Amino acid sequence: MPPKCEGDPRSLQTGEILVPGLVTEDARLDPRNVYAASKLSQEHPAASWARAGAGTAIALRYHNVYGPRMPRDTPYAGVASLFRSALARGEAPRVFEGGAQRRSFIHVRDVAAANIAAMESPGQSTESRPESG
């Protein structure tokens, strides 16, 4: 059953209620496409290099970055910009994969703060998935 009115929290494809969910920090890494696998594969040599005592490696996994002056309606625009543009036109945002996917958003100011915190960290190798919540 498709949504009946604007603001109805159901998938356009399946009609099922959309329920937010979170991926925890201890979740198993499971890249779902080539792009995600390539990003993860870049972390392995860096981690090996750090374990060999050559230095420190910190991987920050940003997802959907948004903020002021963000480009809209371009092939490279983030999902937050695409959702916002659709809403500004009075349209429902397009949701794919039956609405089952989850999105993590982070404001550009939080990206800057996370980068600074990583640079100032006390020499620990780590990975993190910063988000604005």
Side-chain angles (χ1 to χ4, degrees), residues 3-27:
K4 295 179 182 178
C5 64
E6 190 173 319
D8 190 343
R10 287 187 276 171
S11 165
L12 292 173
Q13 292 179 351
T14 67
E16 294 181 25
I17 296 292
L18 300 175
V19 179
L22 297 175
V23 176
T24 62
E25 286 296 316
D26 59 347

Side-chain angles (χ1 to χ4, degrees), residues 22-32 36 40 43-44 61 63 127 129:
L22 297 175
V23 176
T24 62
E25 286 296 316
D26 59 347
R28 181 176 67 92
L29 296 177
D30 185 21
R32 301 298 174 106
L40 179 60
E43 294 179 18
H44 295 296
R61 297 181 185 144
H63 296 275
E127 52 95 336
R129 298 177 190 98

Side-chain angles (χ1 to χ4, degrees), residues 19-126:
V19 179
L22 297 175
V23 176
T24 62
E25 286 296 316
D26 59 347
R28 181 176 67 92
L29 296 177
D30 185 21
R32 301 298 174 106
N33 58 48
V34 173
Y35 175 75
S38 72
K39 299 306 278 183
L40 179 60
S41 71
Q42 294 171 24
E43 294 179 18
H44 295 296
S48 295
W49 174 81
R51 277 193 300 275
T56 300
I58 299 175
L60 301 174
R61 297 181 185 144
Y62 299 118
H63 296 275
N64 295 290
V65 178
Y66 67 97
R69 296 188 302 267
M70 182 175 183
R72 294 186 206 164
D73 300 325
T74 70
Y76 302 103
V79 70
S81 178
L82 296 175
F83 283 1
R84 184 191 177 288
S85 294
L87 293 170
R89 292 188 306 268
E91 301 170 2
R94 293 181 66 195
V95 177
F96 298 94
E97 301 176 31
Q101 77 278 15
R102 304 292 188 255
R103 298 286 187 226
S104 174
F105 296 91
I106 184 164
H107 193 275
V108 68
R109 286 187 189 113
D110 295 328
V111 169
N115 286 340
I116 290 168
M119 289 187 302
E120 294 175 346
S121 69
Q124 299 177 16
S125 294
T126 186

